[in-house]
Structure formats: structure tokens, C-alpha cells
């Protein structure tokens, strides 16, 4: 099965990734038409999410957001394909950090740090720039794909610029090992996931809706007292992104319980409200809405 996938899919994608970005975006425009108008991929989910989060907007305004979000979704997919062959020089032109000096003090003090982000802008690319702009090396938690061939393919692509992608179950043990060995590291989480029902421990407010919120990053930060930053990334234009670090908690262990999580959600929400078309609306973020036990 993996050999068949390699023969049928891998070479075409590899060849496509060698095309210039302007050509890839032309392909993206075509794929958007197919995905949105013919396939209708998760269109109902996106529409429902936008209705929940922006009831003050008219149906026409939400429809514009819906279409723009699908266009961006396909752009990110094409940018991921480009990752297979993109050079360090080109990726450096497309990614930048506005305030890398904010992390210098923590690195000089020998402190590891945690970065929280979400499925906004291009979450696949942004970790690459950390290795080029900061003294820190970057480890990012990720969920293994069921298909081992594609898991290796995506992981190899993600690791090409020095970023270490670590499976979920191995992430916390790696942090403990690094701290024990005195290794200074930055740890990245996409923290806007929906927790499984049996793992729900905290209900908060996201986009004015009461939903369960992942607290794994806060739990780790509090146990190890690691400074936590929001890794805010904005799209400047197609294929170009700019990131800014925002300090959430300097000493999480001494902060009130769930304050860190609430601050993260507030920053994420602020960013979404500013430009909602660049958020990943195809996931069922609100499937547990209204189910909080009394």
C-alpha cells in the first residue's frame, strides 16, 4: 500500500513543489473552485462555525468570509507542498519575526520557553523561522498520522529546517529529559484543538461561546514553571507571513489556575476577529457546545 502511494502520489507532489509560488497559487485558485463549488468540502461545518461566531454579520458578509477562508485553506495546502523543495533562502524571504530580541533575555538566563499558537495563517511554516531568527532550537508536538508512509514524508518535510517534530506521547518526556540535561529549548503547541470528551477538565469562553479548552500546555508550563508566549502570526500577503511574540505568563506556577489558558484564548480570539478569513474553520471547534455538565 505504501509503495503504491509512493508511485501514484509522491512523485507528482514532489514535481509540483518545484514550481514557482506564483504558479502554485494559480493552481490554488483552480483547486479552490473545485473544492468549494464542486466538492463542497466541509462547507456546512465552515458555514455553521461562522454563524456561531459572527451572528452580528449579515449572511452576505459571512458568505464572503466563507469563500475567503476556503481560498486561504487551499493556499496553505499548496504552501505545504512547496515545503518539500523550498530553499532556506526563499523561506527566509517569506517568514519573519518582528521582535526576536524579546527572547534573548530568556535564552541568556538559560530558560526554556513555550510557544502557543493555533490553526491560523500558515501554522505549518511558522516554526521554521524560529531556527533562523532565535538562539533557541524548536520542538513542536504533533499527532502521528495513521499512514506510516505519509507520516514519515510529512515529518521529514517539517524537520528539514532543523525543527524537531515530536509525537504527542513523547513530547513531555522529551521536555523532562532536556531539562535534566540542561538543554535549552523552545516548545511549540497548537493549543486550539477540541479535547476528547473523557479528557475535558476546563470549560472556558472562545468567540463568546462556552466550550471545553485544552489545558495540556498550561499544565506543563505550571509544573515546570516555563515562560509562555503567544506566537502570533499574520498573513502579510499570499505566501508571506510575519510573526510576533506576546508574553502570556513569566512565572506560570505562581499564576492563578487557568489564567494562562484564558490569556491564550483571548489573544487567539483577538486575532481571529481582526481577520477571520485566515482561521481554519473546517474543524468542528464547537461540537461540545451546550454540553457542559451542570
Amino acid at each position: 500500500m505504501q509503495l503504491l502511494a509512493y508511485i501514484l502520489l509522491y512523485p507528482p507532489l514532489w514535481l509540483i513543489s518545484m514550481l514557482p509560488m506564483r504558479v502554485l497559487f494559480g493552481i490554488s485558485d483552480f483547486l479552490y473552485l473545485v473544492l468549494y463549488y464542486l466538492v463542497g468540502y466541509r462547507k456546512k461545518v465552515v458555514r455553521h462555525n461562522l454563524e456561531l461566531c459572527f451572528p452580528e454579520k449579515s449572511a452576505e458578509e459571512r458568505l464572503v468570509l466563507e469563500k475567503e477562508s476556503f481560498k486561504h485553506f487551499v493556499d496553505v495546502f499548496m504552501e505545504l507542498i512547496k515545503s518539500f523543495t523550498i530553499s532556506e533562502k526563499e523561506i527566509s524571504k517569506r517568514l519573519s519575526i518582528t521582535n526576536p530580541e524579546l527572547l534573548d533575555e530568556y535564552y541568556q538566563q538559560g530558560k526554556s520557553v513555550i510557544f502557543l499558537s493555533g490553526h491560523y495563517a500558515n501554522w505549518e511554516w511558522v516554526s521554521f523561522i524560529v531556527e533562523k531568527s532565535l538562539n533557541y532550537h524548536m520542538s513542536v508536538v504533533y499527532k502521528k498520522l495513521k499512514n506510516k508512509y505519509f507520516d514519515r514524508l510529512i515529518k521529514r518535510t517539517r524537520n528539514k529546517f532543523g525543527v524537531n517534530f515530536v509525537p504527542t506521547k513523547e513530547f513531555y518526556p522529551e521536555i523532562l529529559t532536556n531539562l535534566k540535561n540542561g538543554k535549552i529549548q523552545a516548545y511549540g503547541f497548537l493549543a486550539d484543538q477540541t479535547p476528547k470528551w473523557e479528557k475535558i477538565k476546563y470549560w472556558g469562553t472562545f468567540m463568546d461561546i462556552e466550550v471545553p479548552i485544552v489545558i495540556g500546555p498550561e499544565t506543563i508550563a505550571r509544573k515546570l514553571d516555563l515562560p509562555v508566549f503567544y506566537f502570533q502570526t499574520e498573513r502579510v500577503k499570499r505566501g508571506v507571513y510575519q510573526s510576533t511574540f506576546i508574553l502570556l505568563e513569566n512565572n506560570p506556577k505562581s499564576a492563578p489556575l487557568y489564567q494562562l489558558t484564558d490569556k491564550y484564548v483571548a489573544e487567539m480570539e483577538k486575532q481571529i476577529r481582526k481577520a477571520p478569513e485566515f482561521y481554519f474553520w473546517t474543524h468542528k471547534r464547537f461540537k461540545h457546545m451546550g454540553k457542559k455538565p451542570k
Side-chain angles (χ1 to χ4, degrees), residues 5 13-14 18 24 29 59 76 78 88 91 105 121 123 130 140 207-208 218 230 232 237 242 249 254 257 259 273 275:
L13 287 182
W14 192 267
M18 294 180 181
L24 290 177
D29 291 337
V76 171
M78 298 308 295
E88 183 177 330
I91 199 74
E105 177 184 349
W123 58 93
V130 170
V140 178
M207 301 299 289
D208 294 330
E218 175 174 333
Y230 180 59
Q232 180 192 77
K237 59 181 181 180
Q242 187 177 73
E249 291 289 353
S254 59
L257 189 61
Q259 177 175 283
R273 292 193 181 280

Side-chain angles (χ1 to χ4, degrees), residues 44-60:
K44 290 183 179 179
V45 174
V46 173
R47 190 165 295 175
H48 178 64
N49 286 341
L50 291 175
E51 287 175 353
L52 285 175
C53 296
F54 300 101
E56 75 284 0
K57 293 184 181 296
S58 67
E60 291 76 14

Side-chain angles (χ1 to χ4, degrees), residues 43-92:
K43 190 186 292 187
K44 290 183 179 179
V45 174
V46 173
R47 190 165 295 175
H48 178 64
N49 286 341
L50 291 175
E51 287 175 353
L52 285 175
C53 296
F54 300 101
E56 75 284 0
K57 293 184 181 296
S58 67
E60 291 76 14
E61 288 174 320
R62 289 196 297 267
L63 183 60
V64 171
L65 279 179
E66 178 181 303
K67 292 179 178 179
E68 291 300 314
S69 70
F70 271 98
K71 289 178 182 177
H72 177 67
F73 174 82
V74 183
D75 274 0
V76 171
F77 176 72
M78 298 308 295
E79 289 163 1
L80 175 60
I81 292 176
K82 184 62 181 178
S83 302
F84 295 168
T85 57
I86 196 168
S87 66
E88 183 177 330
K89 181 179 181 181
E90 183 172 0
I91 199 74
S92 296

